[in-house]
C-alpha cells in the first residue's frame, strides 16, 4: 500500500498507461485516500468532457466571421512580394485555419454546456469507489469510481463492496448484498437510507448531522464509528465501536455507546442496548423482554445476570417497565452501583426528568460503564 499520495500517477492511471503492478498499487491507495480519489475524479471528468464535446453546427454568424478573417488574411498576403520573409506558405495557412476552427468549436461547446447547466442543474452527490467487484449506482456498474446523487441508489451484489465519501465528514463502507439510497446532503443534514444489507460508518462531525434510516429505526450519529445490519424483513443490529449512536422511532429512544449492541425490530423499533461482553442468558432474556411481551420471567433473568456495567441496560429499562417492573430494576441498580448524588428513589420511580437524565448517570458511572 502507498504511504504517500499518488497524484503524479493519476493521469497515466486514468489513461490505462501504468503496468499491472503499478496500477494495482494506485488502485489500493485510492480505496483508502479521499484526497487522491477526489483529484482522480477531476482528471476523469476532464477526460469525459473532452470525449463528449457535442458535434453541433456552429452559428452562421460565427462562420461568417471566420471567413471574413481568412479573406482579410489572403488579401494581405496577395499584395506582399513573394520574396517577403513574412509571406505565409500554404502549410502555415492551413495551421491558422485549423486553429480558428478549433477555437470556434470550443467556444460553441462552452456556450452549449452553460445552457445545459442552466436547464439541467446537477443534484448534490457523494463520491463512490469500488473496493471489490462492480457495485451499481442507479443500476449502472462502476469499475473504479462514480457519484451517488440525492435520490440515487447504490447496490452491491455478493461479490462487490464499495466505499462512500460522506461529504467531508467521514466514510461509509458498503458490504456485499446491500441496497441503500442517498436521501439528503446539506450543511444541516446528511442522510442515507439502508434498505437491506450491511454498512460500516466512520463519522467525524458534530452530533446529529449524519443519519441512517432503516425500516425499524433511525440511527443518529453522535460522533462515532459503527456497523449496522438490516435483513430482508427490516430487522437489524447496531454495534458501536466508537462514540455514541442514538436509535429513534416513534418516541422510543436507545442510546448506544462504544462497546454496546442493540437489536432493531421492524414494527417495534429499537430494543435495549447491551454490552457486547454480556452473558448469553442476559442477551436472550433481554431480547425476549423487548420483543415478546415483556414477561416477568425474562426480566428476572436480566436482573439476575446483570453486572455493575449492565446498569446501562437497566437505566434504559426504567421508563420501559411498568411500575412493578421499575421497582425491581431500581432495586437491582441500587444494589450494584448506588445512586448519583441528588438522585432519590422516589424521583426515579416517578421518572423525574432531572433524575433520570443520561448525562448525570454517565458522569456517575463513566468508569463503571467504560
Amino acid at each position: 500500500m502507498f504511504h504517500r499520495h499518488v497524484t503524479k500517477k493519476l493521469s497515466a492511471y486514468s489513461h490505462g498507461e501504468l503496468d499491472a503492478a503499478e496500477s494495482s498499487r494506485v488502485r489500493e491507495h485510492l480505496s483508502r485516500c479521499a484526497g487522491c480519489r477526489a483529484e482522480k475524479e477531476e482528471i476523469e471528468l476532464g477526460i469525459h468532457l473532452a470525449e463528449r464535446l457535442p458535434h453541433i453546427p456552429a452559428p452562421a454568424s460565427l462562420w461568417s466571421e471566420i471567413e471574413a478573417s481568412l479573406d482579410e488574411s489572403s488579401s494581405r498576403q496577395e499584395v506582399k512580394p513573394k520574396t517577403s520573409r513574412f509571406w505565409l506558405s500554404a502549410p502555415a495557412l492551413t495551421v491558422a485555419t485549423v486553429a480558428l476552427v478549433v477555437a470556434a468549436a470550443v467556444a460553441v461547446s462552452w456556450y452549449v454546456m452553460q445552457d445545459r447547466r442552466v436547464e439541467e442543474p446537477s443534484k448534490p452527490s457523494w463520491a463512490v469507489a469500488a473496493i471489490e467487484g462492480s457495485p451499481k449506482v442507479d443500476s449502472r456498474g462502476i469499475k473504479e469510481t462514480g457519484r451517488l446523487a440525492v435520490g440515487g441508489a447504490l447496490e452491491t451484489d455478493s461479490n462487490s463492496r464499495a466505499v462512500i465519501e460522506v461529504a467531508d465528514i467521514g466514510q461509509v463502507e458498503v458490504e456485499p448484498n446491500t441496497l441503500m439510497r442517498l436521501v439528503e446532503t446539506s450543511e444541516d443534514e446528511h442522510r442515507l437510507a439502508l434498505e437491506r444489507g450491511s454498512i460500516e460508518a466512520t463519522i467525524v462531525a458534530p452530533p446529529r448531522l449524519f443519519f441512517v434510516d432503516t425500516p425499524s429505526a433511525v440511527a443518529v450519529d453522535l460522533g462515532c464509528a459503527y456497523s449496522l445490519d438490516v435483513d430482508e424483513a427490516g430487522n437489524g443490529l447496531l454495534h458501536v465501536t466508537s462514540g455514541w449512536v442514538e436509535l429513534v422511532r416513534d418516541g422510543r429512544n436507545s442510546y448506544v455507546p462504544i462497546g454496546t449492541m442493540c437489536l432493531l425490530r421492524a414494527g417495534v423499533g429499537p430494543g435495549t442496548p447491551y454490552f457486547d461482553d454480556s452473558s448469553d442468558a442476559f442477551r436472550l432474556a433481554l431480547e425476549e423482554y423487548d420483543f415478546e411481551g415483556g414477561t416477568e420471567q425474562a426480566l428476572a433473568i436480566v436482573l439476575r445476570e446483570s453486572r455493575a456495567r449492565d446498569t446501562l441496560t437497566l437505566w434504559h429499562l426504567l421508563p420501559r417497565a411498568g411500575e412493578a417492573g421499575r421497582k425491581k430494576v431500581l432495586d437491582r441498580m441500587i444494589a450494584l452501583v448506588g445512586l448519583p448524588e441528588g438522585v432519590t428513589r422516589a424521583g426515579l420511580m416517578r421518572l423525574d426528568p432531572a433524575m433520570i437524565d443520561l448525562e448525570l448517570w454517565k458522569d456517575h458511572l463513566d468508569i463503571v460503564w467504560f
Side-chain angles (χ1 to χ4, degrees):
M1 180 183 299
F2 280 102
H3 297 282
R4 297 180 180 176
H5 294 298
V6 294
T7 52
K8 293 183 179 180
K9 300 178 182 290
L10 291 178
S11 179
Y13 177 77
S14 298
H15 285 90
E17 296 171 355
L18 298 179
D19 59 38
E22 190 78 353
S23 179
S24 177
R25 286 194 292 271
V26 172
R27 185 182 306 110
E28 177 63 20
H29 179 82
L30 289 171
S31 70
R32 298 298 179 186
C33 178
C36 287
R37 282 201 302 275
E39 186 154 345
K40 174 178 173 293
E41 288 171 8
E42 291 182 3
I43 291 173
E44 291 186 341
L45 177 60
I47 295 172
H48 178 70
L49 290 176
E51 292 175 344
R52 294 180 61 110
L53 281 174
H55 298 282
I56 59 175
S61 59
L62 184 60
W63 289 118
S64 297
E65 292 176 8
I66 294 174
E67 290 175 356
S69 297
L70 291 175
D71 290 341
E72 183 179 352
S73 175
S74 299
S75 299
R76 287 198 301 267
Q77 293 164 21
E78 289 174 1
V79 298
K80 292 180 180 180
K82 291 186 177 180
T83 56
S84 171
R85 61 185 297 180
F86 300 105
W87 182 79
L88 286 177
S89 64
L93 183 59
T94 302
V95 171
T97 303
V98 171
L100 285 170
V101 171
V102 170
V106 170
V108 172
S109 298
W110 185 86
Y111 281 113
V112 170
M113 290 176 67
Q114 294 303 309
D115 290 342
R116 288 179 179 175
R117 288 175 184 172
V118 172
E119 295 172 359
E120 302 175 8
S122 60
K123 295 181 179 179
S125 62
W126 292 347
V128 180
I131 299 176
E132 295 178 9
S134 296
K136 293 181 179 180
V137 174
D138 296 331
S139 301
R140 295 188 298 272
I142 59 171
K143 293 183 178 180
E144 298 287 345
T145 61
R147 305 289 300 186
L148 177 62
V150 170
L154 171 65
E155 185 173 14
T156 57
D157 59 20
S158 59
N159 298 312
S160 60
R161 296 170 59 231
V163 60
I164 302 172
E165 293 294 329
V166 182
D168 57 353
I169 65 171
Q171 293 184 335
V172 172
E173 291 195 13
V174 184
E175 300 300 319
N177 297 315
T178 297
L179 175 61
M180 64 190 320
R181 301 181 186 279
L182 177 54
V183 178
E184 177 62 44
T185 181
S186 66
E187 292 184 359
D188 302 322
E189 177 182 328
H190 302 293
R191 185 180 296 267
L192 288 167
L194 176 59
E195 298 188 10
R196 58 170 168 79
S198 303
I199 63 170
E200 292 187 9
T202 304
I203 304 297
V204 181
R208 307 183 187 283
L209 184 61
F210 177 66
F211 305 82
V212 177
D213 298 337
T214 78
S216 47
V218 178
V220 183
D221 165 69
L222 302 179
C224 59
Y226 63 88
S227 63
L228 181 59
D229 305 315
V230 173
D231 65 18
E232 295 285 352
N235 303 318
L237 174 65
L238 171 71
H239 186 194
V240 178
T241 54
S242 177
W244 288 71
V245 175
E246 181 182 6
L247 292 173
V248 182
R249 179 186 170 122
D250 298 333
R252 183 181 177 97
N253 294 36
S254 292
Y255 296 92
V256 191
I258 179 174
T260 62
M261 309 175 79
C262 189
L263 293 170
L264 301 89
R265 185 66 59 85
V268 179
T272 307
Y274 56 88
F275 281 99
D276 51 20
D277 63 350
S278 58
S279 71
D280 291 341
F282 180 91
R283 292 197 297 270
L284 291 171
L286 184 62
E287 182 178 358
E288 179 181 340
Y289 187 80
D290 281 338
F291 303 121
E292 297 177 24
T295 65
E296 291 185 8
Q297 181 180 3
L299 181 60
I301 297 173
V302 169
L303 298 178
R304 185 182 70 239
E305 293 288 323
S306 293
R307 309 158 297 171
R309 193 182 194 197
D310 296 319
T311 50
L312 171 73
T313 299
L314 302 186
W315 177 88
H316 278 85
L317 290 177
L318 283 174
R320 298 179 182 183
E323 185 173 351
R326 185 177 308 130
K327 179 180 182 300
K328 295 176 182 178
V329 171
L330 186 52
D331 287 342
R332 184 58 172 159
M333 291 179 71
I334 293 173
L336 289 170
V337 298
L339 294 176
E341 184 178 354
V343 175
T344 66
R345 181 187 183 88
L348 289 175
M349 282 300 296
R350 66 173 182 269
L351 299 179
D352 184 322
M355 294 190 182
I356 203 171
D357 179 69
L358 178 60
E359 294 300 321
L360 185 152
W361 283 87
K362 283 167 60 178
D363 290 342
H364 179 62
L365 296 173
D366 183 71
I367 297 177
V368 175
W369 287 353
F370 307 113

